[in-house]
Protein backbone atom coordinates (compact mmCIF):
# COMPACT_ATOMS: atom_id res chain seq x y z
CA UNK A 1 0.00 0.00 0.00
CA UNK A 2 1.10 3.54 -0.71
CA UNK A 3 2.11 5.60 2.33
CA UNK A 4 -0.36 8.18 3.63
CA UNK A 5 1.78 11.20 2.68
CA UNK A 6 1.89 10.04 -0.93
CA UNK A 7 -1.84 9.32 -1.03
CA UNK A 8 -2.54 12.78 0.43
CA UNK A 9 -0.58 14.45 -2.38
CA UNK A 10 -1.61 12.27 -5.32
CA UNK A 11 -5.08 10.87 -4.70
CA UNK A 12 -7.72 12.79 -6.63
CA UNK A 13 -5.04 14.89 -8.37
CA UNK A 14 -5.21 13.85 -12.01
CA UNK A 15 -3.29 15.81 -14.62
CA UNK A 16 -5.98 17.51 -16.76
CA UNK A 17 -5.83 15.62 -20.09
CA UNK A 18 -7.05 18.58 -22.18
CA UNK A 19 -4.49 21.14 -20.92
CA UNK A 20 -1.81 19.29 -18.95
CA UNK A 21 -2.61 21.47 -15.92
CA UNK A 22 -0.88 19.99 -12.86
CA UNK A 23 -3.23 21.73 -10.45
CA UNK A 24 -6.75 20.45 -11.15
CA UNK A 25 -9.24 22.77 -12.84
CA UNK A 26 -12.43 23.79 -10.98
CA UNK A 27 -15.44 22.47 -12.87
CA UNK A 28 -18.19 25.04 -12.36
CA UNK A 29 -20.45 23.66 -15.09
CA UNK A 30 -23.72 22.45 -13.61
CA UNK A 31 -24.50 20.28 -16.65
CA UNK A 32 -22.61 17.86 -18.89
CA UNK A 33 -23.10 17.00 -22.56
CA UNK A 34 -24.87 13.85 -23.70
CA UNK A 35 -23.69 11.91 -26.75
CA UNK A 36 -25.86 11.59 -29.86
CA UNK A 37 -27.11 8.23 -28.62
CA UNK A 38 -28.24 9.84 -25.35
CA UNK A 39 -25.49 8.37 -23.20
CA UNK A 40 -23.16 10.36 -20.90
CA UNK A 41 -19.63 9.51 -22.10
CA UNK A 42 -17.94 11.46 -19.25
CA UNK A 43 -19.99 9.71 -16.57
CA UNK A 44 -21.33 13.08 -15.38
CA UNK A 45 -24.80 14.44 -16.11
CA UNK A 46 -25.71 17.13 -13.55
CA UNK A 47 -23.61 18.60 -10.75
CA UNK A 48 -26.05 17.75 -7.93
CA UNK A 49 -25.59 14.05 -8.75
CA UNK A 50 -21.86 14.26 -9.32
CA UNK A 51 -19.09 16.66 -10.23
CA UNK A 52 -15.43 16.00 -11.14
CA UNK A 53 -14.08 18.01 -8.17
CA UNK A 54 -16.38 16.23 -5.75
CA UNK A 55 -15.55 12.82 -7.23
CA UNK A 56 -11.84 13.60 -6.75
CA UNK A 57 -12.39 14.59 -3.10
CA UNK A 58 -14.44 11.45 -2.44
CA UNK A 59 -11.75 9.27 -4.05
CA UNK A 60 -9.07 10.91 -1.92
CA UNK A 61 -10.91 10.40 1.39
CA UNK A 62 -11.80 6.83 0.42
CA UNK A 63 -8.10 6.15 -0.11
CA UNK A 64 -6.94 7.95 3.05
CA UNK A 65 -9.40 6.05 5.26
CA UNK A 66 -9.01 2.74 3.42
CA UNK A 67 -12.73 2.47 2.55
CA UNK A 68 -14.57 1.62 -0.65
CA UNK A 69 -16.68 4.74 -1.29
CA UNK A 70 -17.41 8.19 0.14
CA UNK A 71 -20.14 10.82 -0.04
CA UNK A 72 -19.14 14.47 0.42
CA UNK A 73 -21.50 17.02 1.98
CA UNK A 74 -21.71 20.76 2.57
CA UNK A 75 -21.01 20.41 6.33
CA UNK A 76 -19.94 17.82 8.87
CA UNK A 77 -23.34 18.12 10.51
CA UNK A 78 -25.27 17.25 7.34
CA UNK A 79 -22.94 14.29 6.71
CA UNK A 80 -23.98 12.82 10.08
CA UNK A 81 -27.62 13.87 9.55
CA UNK A 82 -27.70 12.02 6.22
CA UNK A 83 -26.53 8.82 7.87
CA UNK A 84 -29.31 9.18 10.47
CA UNK A 85 -31.86 10.04 7.76
CA UNK A 86 -30.92 6.86 5.89
CA UNK A 87 -32.21 4.87 8.89
CA UNK A 88 -35.92 4.31 9.47
CA UNK A 89 -38.19 5.75 12.18
CA UNK A 90 -38.28 3.23 15.02
CA UNK A 91 -34.62 2.25 14.63
CA UNK A 92 -32.53 2.42 17.79
CA UNK A 93 -29.27 4.43 17.78
CA UNK A 94 -26.72 4.69 20.60
CA UNK A 95 -24.58 7.83 20.81
CA UNK A 96 -22.06 9.25 23.27
CA UNK A 97 -23.21 11.82 25.81
CA UNK A 98 -19.97 13.74 25.19
CA UNK A 99 -19.81 14.48 21.50
CA UNK A 100 -19.85 17.52 19.23
CA UNK A 101 -22.69 19.61 20.63
CA UNK A 102 -24.25 20.51 17.27
CA UNK A 103 -24.77 16.82 16.43
CA UNK A 104 -26.45 16.23 19.81
CA UNK A 105 -28.79 19.11 19.01
CA UNK A 106 -29.64 17.59 15.64
CA UNK A 107 -30.64 14.38 17.41
CA UNK A 108 -32.74 16.05 20.09
CA UNK A 109 -34.44 18.60 17.85
CA UNK A 110 -34.83 16.67 14.57
CA UNK A 111 -34.29 12.93 14.75
CA UNK A 112 -36.00 12.07 18.06
CA UNK A 113 -39.17 13.95 16.91
CA UNK A 114 -38.78 12.17 13.51
CA UNK A 115 -38.96 8.80 15.25
CA UNK A 116 -35.43 7.51 15.91
CA UNK A 117 -35.05 5.95 19.34
CA UNK A 118 -31.77 7.50 20.55
CA UNK A 119 -29.89 6.55 23.74
CA UNK A 120 -27.19 8.91 25.02
CA UNK A 121 -24.62 6.97 27.07
CA UNK A 122 -21.07 7.17 28.39
CA UNK A 123 -19.52 5.41 25.37
CA UNK A 124 -16.26 4.83 27.27
CA UNK A 125 -18.17 2.33 29.45
CA UNK A 126 -18.50 -1.01 27.62
CA UNK A 127 -20.80 -2.24 30.41
CA UNK A 128 -23.18 0.66 29.75
CA UNK A 129 -23.08 -0.01 26.00
CA UNK A 130 -23.80 -3.71 26.50
CA UNK A 131 -26.80 -2.85 28.72
CA UNK A 132 -28.17 -0.36 26.17
CA UNK A 133 -27.91 -2.52 23.01
CA UNK A 134 -31.27 -3.85 21.79
CA UNK A 135 -32.29 -6.23 18.99
CA UNK A 136 -33.34 -3.19 16.90
CA UNK A 137 -30.12 -1.19 17.47
CA UNK A 138 -29.05 -0.24 13.94
CA UNK A 139 -26.21 2.17 14.63
CA UNK A 140 -23.67 3.01 17.33
CA UNK A 141 -21.84 6.32 17.00
CA UNK A 142 -18.38 6.83 18.47
CA UNK A 143 -16.41 10.06 18.77
CA UNK A 144 -12.90 9.37 20.07
CA UNK A 145 -11.22 11.49 21.26
CA UNK A 146 -14.50 13.20 22.15
CA UNK A 147 -15.24 16.88 21.99
CA UNK A 148 -14.71 18.77 24.30
CA UNK A 149 -14.05 16.39 27.20
CA UNK A 150 -11.42 14.38 25.26
CA UNK A 151 -12.71 10.97 26.35
CA UNK A 152 -11.26 7.88 24.68
CA UNK A 153 -13.48 5.02 23.52
CA UNK A 154 -12.13 1.55 22.69
CA UNK A 155 -13.37 1.37 19.08
CA UNK A 156 -12.54 -2.31 18.49
CA UNK A 157 -14.39 -3.30 21.69
CA UNK A 158 -17.46 -1.20 20.72
CA UNK A 159 -17.46 -2.85 17.28
CA UNK A 160 -17.40 -6.31 18.83
CA UNK A 161 -20.38 -5.55 21.11
CA UNK A 162 -22.34 -3.81 18.32
CA UNK A 163 -21.85 -6.78 15.99
CA UNK A 164 -23.45 -9.08 18.59
CA UNK A 165 -26.84 -7.48 17.77
CA UNK A 166 -26.03 -6.74 14.11
CA UNK A 167 -25.60 -2.98 14.65
CA UNK A 168 -23.28 -0.87 12.50
CA UNK A 169 -20.63 1.45 13.94
CA UNK A 170 -19.89 4.98 12.70
CA UNK A 171 -16.82 6.78 14.00
CA UNK A 172 -16.54 10.57 13.90
CA UNK A 173 -12.84 10.78 13.00
CA UNK A 174 -12.73 14.59 12.74
CA UNK A 175 -10.38 15.13 15.69
CA UNK A 176 -7.72 12.43 15.07
CA UNK A 177 -7.98 12.41 11.21
CA UNK A 178 -6.79 9.32 9.28
CA UNK A 179 -3.24 10.39 10.12
CA UNK A 180 -3.66 9.35 13.76
CA UNK A 181 -6.57 6.89 13.73
CA UNK A 182 -7.93 4.42 11.13
CA UNK A 183 -11.37 3.27 12.31
CA UNK A 184 -11.81 0.76 9.44
CA UNK A 185 -8.78 -1.17 10.66
CA UNK A 186 -10.58 -1.43 14.03
CA UNK A 187 -13.73 -2.83 12.37
CA UNK A 188 -15.91 0.29 12.06
CA UNK A 189 -18.42 0.47 9.19
CA UNK A 190 -18.50 4.24 8.56
CA UNK A 191 -16.16 7.15 9.13
CA UNK A 192 -17.56 10.68 9.36
CA UNK A 193 -15.56 13.90 9.12
CA UNK A 194 -16.21 17.56 9.49
CA UNK A 195 -13.77 18.42 6.67
CA UNK A 196 -14.14 21.97 8.04
CA UNK A 197 -11.48 21.13 10.61
CA UNK A 198 -8.09 19.41 9.95
CA UNK A 199 -8.78 18.18 6.40
CA UNK A 200 -9.41 21.70 5.11
CA UNK A 201 -6.85 22.80 7.65
CA UNK A 202 -6.96 26.57 7.12
CA UNK A 203 -10.32 27.64 8.64
CA UNK A 204 -11.69 28.67 5.26
CA UNK A 205 -14.04 25.93 4.06
CA UNK A 206 -17.13 24.23 5.52
CA UNK A 207 -17.72 20.59 4.64
CA UNK A 208 -18.30 17.02 5.69
CA UNK A 209 -17.82 13.53 4.33
CA UNK A 210 -19.07 10.04 5.06
CA UNK A 211 -16.77 7.16 4.09
CA UNK A 212 -18.00 3.55 3.90
CA UNK A 213 -15.86 0.48 4.56
CA UNK A 214 -18.07 -1.63 2.29
CA UNK A 215 -20.92 -1.14 -0.13
CA UNK A 216 -24.29 -1.62 1.61
CA UNK A 217 -27.97 -0.80 1.18
CA UNK A 218 -27.61 1.80 3.93
CA UNK A 219 -24.71 3.55 2.17
CA UNK A 220 -26.56 3.38 -1.17
CA UNK A 221 -29.45 5.18 0.55
CA UNK A 222 -27.00 7.81 1.86
CA UNK A 223 -25.82 8.38 -1.72
CA UNK A 224 -29.41 8.65 -2.93
CA UNK A 225 -30.12 11.34 -0.32
CA UNK A 226 -26.91 13.13 -1.37
CA UNK A 227 -27.82 12.99 -5.07
CA UNK A 228 -31.47 13.99 -4.80
CA UNK A 229 -31.11 16.40 -1.89
CA UNK A 230 -27.98 18.25 -3.04
CA UNK A 231 -26.46 19.20 0.36
CA UNK A 232 -23.09 18.98 -1.39
CA UNK A 233 -19.88 21.04 -1.28
CA UNK A 234 -19.31 23.42 -4.20
CA UNK A 235 -16.60 22.55 -6.76
CA UNK A 236 -14.42 25.30 -5.24
CA UNK A 237 -14.93 23.87 -1.72
CA UNK A 238 -13.82 20.45 -2.99
CA UNK A 239 -10.80 22.01 -4.67
CA UNK A 240 -9.84 23.86 -1.45
CA UNK A 241 -10.20 20.64 0.55
CA UNK A 242 -7.98 18.67 -1.84
CA UNK A 243 -5.46 21.49 -1.64
CA UNK A 244 -5.48 21.37 2.18
CA UNK A 245 -5.30 17.58 2.36
CA UNK A 246 -1.93 17.54 0.52
CA UNK A 247 -0.22 18.82 3.69
CA UNK A 248 -2.49 16.99 6.18
CA UNK A 249 0.01 14.40 7.51
CA UNK A 250 2.70 17.03 8.19
CA UNK A 251 0.31 19.51 9.78
CA UNK A 252 -1.42 16.98 12.01
CA UNK A 253 1.82 15.41 13.27
CA UNK A 254 3.28 18.81 14.18
CA UNK A 255 0.03 19.92 15.84
CA UNK A 256 -0.18 16.65 17.75
CA UNK A 257 3.45 16.84 18.96
CA UNK A 258 3.11 20.49 19.98
CA UNK A 259 -0.22 19.85 21.76
CA UNK A 260 1.47 17.20 23.92
CA UNK A 261 4.28 19.62 24.85
CA UNK A 262 1.75 22.31 25.76
CA UNK A 263 -0.38 19.84 27.74
CA UNK A 264 2.68 18.73 29.72
CA UNK A 265 3.50 22.35 30.51
CA UNK A 266 -0.07 23.06 31.65
CA UNK A 267 -0.20 19.85 33.67
CA UNK A 268 2.44 21.19 36.07
CA UNK A 269 1.10 24.77 36.19
CA UNK A 270 -0.22 25.86 39.63
CA UNK A 271 -3.25 27.71 38.12
CA UNK A 272 -4.47 24.54 36.37
CA UNK A 273 -6.83 22.02 37.99
CA UNK A 274 -6.59 19.29 35.33
CA UNK A 275 -5.50 18.79 31.74
CA UNK A 276 -7.69 16.57 29.55
CA UNK A 277 -5.15 15.15 27.10
CA UNK A 278 -4.93 11.42 26.25
CA UNK A 279 -1.13 11.57 26.01
CA UNK A 280 -0.84 12.18 29.76
CA UNK A 281 -0.35 8.93 31.70
CA UNK A 282 -2.97 10.11 34.23
CA UNK A 283 -5.68 10.26 31.51
CA UNK A 284 -8.15 7.37 32.01
CA UNK A 285 -8.07 6.57 28.29
CA UNK A 286 -4.27 6.75 27.90
CA UNK A 287 -3.66 3.04 27.34
CA UNK A 288 -6.47 2.68 24.80
CA UNK A 289 -5.24 5.80 22.99
CA UNK A 290 -1.73 4.34 22.79
CA UNK A 291 -3.20 1.12 21.39
CA UNK A 292 -5.55 2.59 18.76
CA UNK A 293 -3.91 5.91 17.78
CA UNK A 294 -0.58 6.96 16.22
CA UNK A 295 -0.46 10.21 18.24
CA UNK A 296 -2.91 12.04 20.49
CA UNK A 297 -4.05 14.93 18.29
CA UNK A 298 -3.87 18.70 18.27
CA UNK A 299 -7.05 19.35 20.27
CA UNK A 300 -7.33 19.11 24.05
CA UNK A 301 -8.98 20.82 26.99
CA UNK A 302 -7.84 22.30 30.28
CA UNK A 303 -9.77 22.88 33.50
CA UNK A 304 -8.43 26.01 35.14
CA UNK A 305 -8.61 26.42 38.91
CA UNK A 306 -11.78 28.32 39.82
CA UNK A 307 -15.10 28.92 38.10
CA UNK A 308 -16.34 30.02 34.67
CA UNK A 309 -15.15 33.58 35.32
CA UNK A 310 -11.61 32.32 36.06
CA UNK A 311 -11.58 30.40 32.76
CA UNK A 312 -12.97 33.40 30.85
CA UNK A 313 -10.27 35.59 32.43
CA UNK A 314 -7.53 33.33 31.07
CA UNK A 315 -9.09 33.37 27.59
CA UNK A 316 -9.33 37.16 27.87
CA UNK A 317 -5.57 37.54 28.46
CA UNK A 318 -4.08 35.46 25.64
CA UNK A 319 -2.32 37.41 22.89
CA UNK A 320 -1.29 34.77 20.35
CA UNK A 321 -4.19 32.32 20.72
CA UNK A 322 -7.36 33.55 19.07
CA UNK A 323 -10.63 33.41 21.04
CA UNK A 324 -12.81 31.56 18.54
CA UNK A 325 -14.72 28.34 18.02
CA UNK A 326 -13.69 25.48 15.70
CA UNK A 327 -10.31 23.77 15.41
CA UNK A 328 -7.84 22.24 12.98
CA UNK A 329 -6.54 25.43 11.34
CA UNK A 330 -3.09 26.97 11.23
CA UNK A 331 -3.89 29.53 13.99
CA UNK A 332 -4.12 28.32 17.58
CA UNK A 333 -7.58 28.85 19.07
CA UNK A 334 -8.87 28.91 22.64
CA UNK A 335 -12.51 28.61 23.59
CA UNK A 336 -14.70 28.63 26.67
CA UNK A 337 -17.00 25.77 25.60
CA UNK A 338 -19.77 25.83 28.21
CA UNK A 339 -20.84 29.36 27.25
CA UNK A 340 -21.14 28.52 23.54
CA UNK A 341 -22.96 25.23 24.20
CA UNK A 342 -25.66 26.97 26.27
CA UNK A 343 -27.87 25.95 29.20
CA UNK A 344 -28.09 22.18 28.33
CA UNK A 345 -24.32 21.71 28.34
CA UNK A 346 -22.59 19.06 30.46
CA UNK A 347 -19.22 20.70 29.84
CA UNK A 348 -17.49 21.85 33.07
CA UNK A 349 -17.75 25.66 33.48
CA UNK A 350 -13.99 26.04 34.00
CA UNK A 351 -13.06 24.18 30.77
CA UNK A 352 -11.10 25.86 27.99
CA UNK A 353 -10.67 23.96 24.73
CA UNK A 354 -7.38 24.48 22.93
CA UNK A 355 -6.75 23.88 19.23
CA UNK A 356 -3.03 23.94 18.58
CA UNK A 357 -2.11 25.56 15.28
CA UNK A 358 1.23 25.68 13.51
CA UNK A 359 2.98 28.37 15.55
CA UNK A 360 6.18 27.46 17.45
CA UNK A 361 5.18 25.61 20.65
CA UNK A 362 7.51 27.74 22.81
CA UNK A 363 5.59 30.87 21.78
CA UNK A 364 2.27 29.22 22.57
CA UNK A 365 3.53 28.05 25.98
CA UNK A 366 4.81 31.55 26.78
CA UNK A 367 1.42 33.02 25.83
CA UNK A 368 -0.50 30.61 28.09
CA UNK A 369 2.01 31.15 30.90
CA UNK A 370 1.47 34.92 30.92
CA UNK A 371 -2.33 34.49 30.65
CA UNK A 372 -2.46 32.07 33.61
C1 LIG B 1 -17.26 20.58 13.80
C2 LIG B 1 -17.64 19.17 14.06
C3 LIG B 1 -18.76 18.61 13.45
C4 LIG B 1 -19.71 19.42 12.60
O1 LIG B 1 -19.12 19.91 11.45
P1 LIG B 1 -19.65 21.24 10.70
O2 LIG B 1 -18.89 21.26 9.44
O3 LIG B 1 -19.39 22.40 11.61
O4 LIG B 1 -21.14 21.06 10.48
C5 LIG B 1 -19.00 17.26 13.68
N1 LIG B 1 -18.20 16.51 14.47
C6 LIG B 1 -17.13 17.04 15.08
C7 LIG B 1 -16.28 16.17 15.94
C8 LIG B 1 -16.81 18.38 14.89
O5 LIG B 1 -15.77 18.90 15.53
Amino acid sequence: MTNLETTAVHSGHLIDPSTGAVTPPIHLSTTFERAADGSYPSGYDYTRSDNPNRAALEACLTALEGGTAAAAFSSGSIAMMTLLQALSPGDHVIVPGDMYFGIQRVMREIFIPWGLDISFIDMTSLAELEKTLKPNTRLVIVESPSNPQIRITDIAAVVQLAKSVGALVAVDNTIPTPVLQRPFSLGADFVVHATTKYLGGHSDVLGGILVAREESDLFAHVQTIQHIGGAVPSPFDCWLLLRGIQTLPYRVRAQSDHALQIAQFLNSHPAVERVLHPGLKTHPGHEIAVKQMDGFGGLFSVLVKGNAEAAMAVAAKVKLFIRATSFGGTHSLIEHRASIEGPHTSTPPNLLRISVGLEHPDDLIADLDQAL
Side-chain angles (χ1 to χ4, degrees):
M1 212 192 94
T2 317
N3 290 298
L4 196 78
E5 292 81 352
T6 309
T7 304
V9 171
H10 284 274
S11 185
H13 288 267
L14 299 174
I15 304 292
D16 178 41
S18 61
T19 61
V22 171
T23 297
I26 302 172
H27 294 279
L28 295 175
S29 185
T30 53
T31 189
F32 299 85
E33 192 181 28
R34 292 174 81 163
D37 66 359
S39 66
Y40 284 98
S42 68
Y44 297 103
D45 53 37
Y46 183 59
T47 197
R48 174 156 44 69
S49 307
D50 209 356
N51 169 282
N53 295 102
R54 198 165 93 220
L57 174 66
E58 290 170 346
C60 181
L61 257 296
T62 300
L64 288 175
E65 289 289 1
T68 57
F73 293 93
S74 52
S75 75
S77 301
I78 200 74
M80 188 65 92
M81 283 172 74
T82 304
L83 181 60
L84 294 169
Q85 205 178 2
L87 302 176
S88 304
D91 285 344
H92 180 230
V93 180
I94 308 179
V95 305
D98 184 50
M99 76 182 302
Y100 176 66
F101 198 73
I103 305 276
Q104 288 197 35
R105 238 190 108 185
V106 154
M107 302 202 192
R108 289 187 215 279
E109 296 181 24
I110 299 173
F111 286 100
I112 292 176
W114 182 66
L116 285 184
D117 173 14
I118 302 182
S119 304
F120 293 86
I121 67 162
D122 174 4
M123 197 59 74
T124 66
S125 163
L126 295 173
E128 201 176 333
L129 175 62
E130 192 163 18
K131 232 175 36 212
T132 312
L133 283 164
K134 301 199 249 188
N136 69 333
T137 305
R138 288 279 314 277
L139 183 69
V140 178
I141 297 177
V142 173
E143 187 179 292
S144 183
S146 71
N147 175 14
Q149 301 202 45
I150 319 293
R151 295 196 175 133
I152 300 292
T153 296
D154 186 334
I155 297 171
V158 166
V159 166
Q160 207 182 351
L161 282 175
K163 292 281 172 273
S164 70
V165 299
L168 299 166
V169 175
V171 175
D172 187 328
N173 212 31
T174 301
I175 296 173
T177 82
V179 179
L180 304 179
Q181 181 167 279
R182 310 285 295 275
F184 293 148
S185 71
L186 302 166
D189 301 284
F190 299 105
V191 166
V192 186
H193 282 283
T195 53
T196 315
K197 312 291 168 55
Y198 289 103
L199 294 171
H202 298 74
S203 307
D204 53 12
V205 56
L206 183 78
I209 200 158
L210 183 75
V211 191
R213 182 165 54 92
E214 294 173 353
E215 304 282 349
S216 65
D217 289 347
L218 187 62
F219 188 69
H221 198 38
V222 163
Q223 288 176 309
T224 301
I225 298 170
Q226 181 204 35
H227 294 175
I228 64 183
V232 290
S234 73
F236 182 52
D237 290 347
C238 297
W239 187 92
L240 275 176
L241 285 168
L242 276 174
R243 181 188 196 193
I245 287 168
Q246 294 178 71
T247 53
L248 177 78
Y250 299 95
R251 284 188 282 108
V252 167
R253 282 196 202 108
Q255 286 163 327
S256 181
D257 290 350
H258 297 172
L260 183 58
Q261 289 176 41
I262 297 165
Q264 281 162 343
F265 160 77
L266 290 173
N267 202 34
S268 57
H269 197 286
V272 167
E273 180 187 307
R274 198 146 73 90
V275 180
L276 310 180
H277 186 292
L280 300 175
K281 292 204 170 59
T282 48
H283 189 286
H286 177 69
E287 273 167 35
I288 299 166
V290 168
K291 187 180 71 178
Q292 76 185 10
M293 300 178 76
D294 295 326
F296 305 104
L299 185 79
F300 69 99
S301 294
V302 55
L303 306 180
V304 302
K305 276 194 186 143
N307 52 15
E309 286 67 38
M312 282 288 202
V314 174
K317 281 182 77 177
V318 292
K319 297 192 171 82
L320 206 49
F321 280 86
I322 298 169
R323 284 178 298 278
T325 195
S326 199
F327 59 87
T330 55
H331 295 76
S332 291
L333 307 179
I334 192 164
E335 183 180 35
H336 184 253
R337 274 309 286 179
S339 53
I340 195 171
E341 291 180 352
H344 300 297
T345 181
S346 54
T347 299
N350 58 337
L351 181 146
L352 293 173
R353 192 183 72 181
I354 289 176
S355 169
V356 175
L358 288 172
E359 303 92 339
H360 196 287
D362 292 350
D363 298 333
L364 296 173
I365 287 171
D367 190 29
L368 288 171
D369 197 21
Q370 65 79 27
L372 284 160

